Amino acid sequence: MTRTFGAHLAVSAAEAGSRTALVFEDRTWTYAQLDLAVRRTVARLDKYGVRKGDRVVMQGAARPEALITLFAVTRMGAVLVPLHPQVTEGELGVVCEETAPCAVVGDSTFPEGTGNRLAWEDLHVDDEVSAPAVGEPPAGSDIAIIAFTSGTSGRPKGVALTHDNLYWSMVNGLSRLPVGQDDTALVSTPLAHVAVLGGLPQYTWARRGTVILAPRFEPDLFIDLVRDHRVTCAFAVPAMSALLARHPRFGGGELDTLRWILSGGSPAQTATREQFRARGVGVVNSYGLTETAAGVTYSAADDPAASTGSPVPQVELRVVDGTGAPAGAGSPGEIWVRAPSVADVYWTAAGTVPVTDGEGWFHTGDRGLFDAEGRLSVVGRLKDTIITGGENIDPAEVENALADFPGAVEVAVSGAPDPVWGEVVTAFLVTATGTPTLDEVRAHLDGRLARHKWPRRLCVVPALPRGATGKLQRARLTTLLDN
């Protein structure tokens, strides 16, 4: 496998050009047609002055032109900076300040930015323009993508992912995921998500399967696409999986071709995973971050444990205590990762900042633990730990125990300031019907959790605060208490 990002697409075009590569609404591209579109876009980018090493900021709209631009920019040795389609003027300004792009690509609703502003129509024209001969191909150590993390506070960080990082991410995924040329994968997350840049669609194209691109995520649309295109696998963050599992059409025959879903961002909660397994759909939990270029651990699709599985062969993973010493099995600590898929630096206007320590370890800030079989469970963020009356409580443990609370659609747990206890465990529930009481919630936990882990406060809310990629913004939960 050639290490340049996107090389698998060109190889498949040459060797299996007639196979279907991409479907979007009523349009279909074979591998040969998709590669031709990439080559034409390379020519257009060259015409507009994009050169090797230049940064190109792109709105991460869920449309085929964005995927074609991703491959074209990286093929010519330039650097793609993908953003969520709902990026604001202020967020765009930060990214442009950090990356100094030579061009900003988007649609008619894309905010004005610095540098050349190119509409999709400027780059994607079905004419006979031929691509110029690309000079020396990018090296493995060259940056291919700068992916900005979707932090809940503070200035976002641009993770500089090299061609090598993305190559090893593909090796990671293909070593564990059962993707083959007969698979049809559904992508319904924003294209700026690392799970798209280095995840399931790339694995599918490497195996010469078919990718179905959804313009957005809606449960009804998701089920329609699975039915109409006989989708066999899909990526979903836990919030998506939970909505699907509770949908009235979930139990029908329209999902019969779906063999497994890949859960990223955080593990699918136990209740959701059980519903999918009862439906005959396996759930592959994974652990990965933007800095690791997608997954570094994967569970088996039929594994009943609530873990993210074991590290892939190319990945070293530690769980360490406060001194940096390895924690024993069953003991929580910070997760450290060392692997060729881990980025070396964050990109900033003032220069690059190391991602890893002097020995190459990335300190993730996530809390996890290994079980006796070496499987990793992620139990939260270090800064999210609730300390109440001197006891440490992981919010994820309480959330998992409440996931099957009657009528609950979504569950989140956080610590709320308290003058006596320091913090008190606080549950936030989105319910389908009714307004439960705190006593009912605590009764549900009786026998499941130690009493000191039970919520002392309950807040029933219409929705949980989530970021652009669907990740829970835990830091914003306590602001709901004032509403």
Side-chain angles (χ1 to χ4, degrees):
M1 188 188 300
T2 305
R3 294 196 179 191
T4 303
F5 178 75
H8 54 291
L9 182 65
V11 171
S12 294
E15 298 180 357
S18 63
R19 292 186 63 85
T20 300
L22 177 66
V23 178
F24 178 77
E25 296 181 336
D26 59 351
R27 292 185 286 169
T28 298
W29 288 259
T30 65
Y31 276 90
Q33 290 168 335
L34 188 58
D35 186 67
L36 175 60
V38 172
R39 288 188 282 114
R40 286 175 170 169
T41 303
V42 168
R44 295 276 172 187
L45 290 165
D46 181 80
K47 172 186 173 182
Y48 286 109
V50 177
R51 299 292 181 264
K52 184 175 182 179
D54 287 342
R55 273 78 61 201
V56 176
V57 170
M58 183 189 75
Q59 178 190 26
R63 53 189 295 167
E65 292 86 350
L67 289 170
I68 292 166
T69 300
L70 161 66
F71 286 118
V73 169
T74 53
R75 181 176 293 189
M76 64 191 304
V79 181
L80 190 80
V81 186
L83 300 179
H84 191 273
Q86 297 176 0
V87 63
T88 66
E89 290 273 4
E91 291 166 331
L92 174 64
V94 170
V95 170
C96 288
E97 180 182 331
E98 295 285 15
T99 62
C102 72
V104 179
V105 181
D107 59 24
S108 58
T109 64
F110 196 49
E112 295 290 340
T114 59
N116 298 327
R117 183 174 182 272
L118 306 177
W120 297 120
E121 294 76 14
D122 296 326
L123 295 181
H124 303 283
V125 180
D126 290 332
D127 57 17
E128 295 305 317
V129 64
S130 59
V134 177
E136 183 180 354
S141 59
D142 289 341
I143 297 171
I145 295 170
I146 299 176
F148 276 80
T149 56
S150 55
T152 57
S153 62
R155 196 175 181 90
K157 295 185 291 186
V159 181
L161 297 172
T162 66
H163 289 267
D164 273 346
N165 292 149
L166 293 162
Y167 165 81
W168 284 107
S169 174
M170 189 176 298
V171 172
N172 292 344
L174 292 177
S175 71
R176 290 286 175 81
L177 296 175
V179 183
Q181 66 176 9
D182 295 327
D183 276 305
T184 299
L186 175 58
V187 174
S188 53
T189 50
L191 301 190
H193 199 294
V194 71
V196 175
L197 304 173
L200 183 58
Q202 306 304 333
Y203 312 152
T204 304
W205 282 318
R207 292 288 192 241
R208 299 178 183 174
T210 300
V211 171
I212 310 298
L213 178 63
R216 62 195 174 278
F217 172 74
E218 293 174 358
D220 274 312
L221 177 59
F222 185 102
I223 295 171
D224 287 345
L225 292 173
V226 171
R227 177 198 63 203
D228 294 346
H229 298 283
R230 301 189 63 78
V231 167
T232 59
C233 56
F235 173 82
V237 299
M240 295 164 58
S241 300
L243 288 172
L244 287 167
R246 292 174 172 86
H247 195 276
R249 294 168 63 191
F250 181 75
E254 296 172 293
L255 296 176
D256 283 353
T257 61
L258 189 63
R259 294 187 294 113
W260 54 273
I261 62 168
L262 175 61
S263 181
S266 60
Q269 290 187 328
T270 300
T272 300
R273 192 173 64 254
E274 294 284 343
Q275 288 174 284
F276 271 88
R277 291 185 65 202
R279 180 67 181 75
V281 180
V283 177
V284 179
N285 282 330
S286 67
Y287 176 67
L289 306 95
T290 303
E291 288 88 345
T292 66
V296 291
T297 75
Y298 295 94
S299 72
D302 58 354
D303 189 347
S307 76
T308 63
S310 57
V312 297
Q314 300 75 224
V315 169
E316 296 177 81
L317 196 149
R318 288 180 178 174
V319 173
V320 302
D321 62 21
T323 68
S331 298
E334 184 179 10
I335 302 170
W336 289 8
V337 182
R338 183 165 64 185
S341 64
V342 174
D344 288 328
V345 298
Y346 295 108
W347 182 285
T348 75
T352 58
V353 177
V355 169
T356 60
D357 64 18
E359 296 182 347
W361 289 100
F362 169 44
H363 302 193
T364 67
D366 289 329
R367 297 186 78 235
L369 56 85
F370 283 119
D371 64 17
E373 285 74 39
R375 297 174 298 191
L376 177 72
S377 291
V378 181
V379 296
R381 294 285 294 173
L382 289 176
K383 63 182 180 181
D384 292 336
T385 299
I386 303 168
I387 304 176
T388 179
E391 298 283 353
N392 289 356
I393 297 171
D394 290 313
E397 182 183 9
V398 186
E399 290 167 354
N400 207 40
L402 284 173
D404 61 346
F405 181 80
V409 176
E410 291 187 279
V411 180
V413 171
S414 182
D418 183 84
V420 176
W421 297 93
E423 290 181 296
V424 292
V425 179
T426 305
F428 299 82
L429 293 184
V430 179
T431 61
T433 56
T435 303
T437 66
L438 179 61
D439 285 342
E440 290 171 335
V441 168
R442 291 163 70 90
H444 180 79
L445 296 175
D446 194 8
R448 297 181 176 215
L449 290 178
R451 295 178 66 89
H452 72 277
K453 299 178 182 179
W454 292 4
R456 291 176 178 268
R457 296 185 67 177
L458 172 65
C459 187
V460 180
V461 295
L464 299 179
R466 295 190 179 276
T469 60
K471 184 176 291 187
L472 176 68
Q473 294 182 313
R474 200 178 297 275
R476 291 176 51 198
L477 285 172
T478 54
T479 65
L480 301 177
L481 294 171
D482 300 326
N483 297 333

